[in-house]
Amino acid sequence: MAQISAILHFSEPAAFTHAFRRWSGTTPSAWRQANPSCDAEGQREDWQPEQLAP
């Protein structure tokens, strides 16, 4: 979670978790459980950080 928070320029992981919950209505951990295409670290196998670049 810390890596995702840093990539998205959040000050800390808790701030990202709070924002994620506002946007999606669920927590990041609940989302990961509901998306079995994620690997053990919670990352999609086909996801690349470059997809977030502005």
Side-chain angles (χ1 to χ4, degrees):
M1 196 58 52
Q3 184 181 16
I4 293 170
S5 299
I7 290 170
L8 296 175
H9 302 285
F10 281 89
S11 58
E12 56 189 57
F16 170 74
T17 298
H18 182 73
F20 188 93
R21 191 175 350 192
R22 278 194 327 250
W23 299 327
S24 67
T26 189
T27 63
S29 59
W31 185 89
R32 286 192 310 264
Q33 289 177 347
N35 289 275
S37 63
C38 294
D39 67 14
E41 295 178 359
Q43 298 177 350
R44 287 183 54 100
E45 295 171 358
D46 60 346
W47 184 82
Q48 295 297 318
E50 298 81 37
Q51 293 172 330
L52 296 175

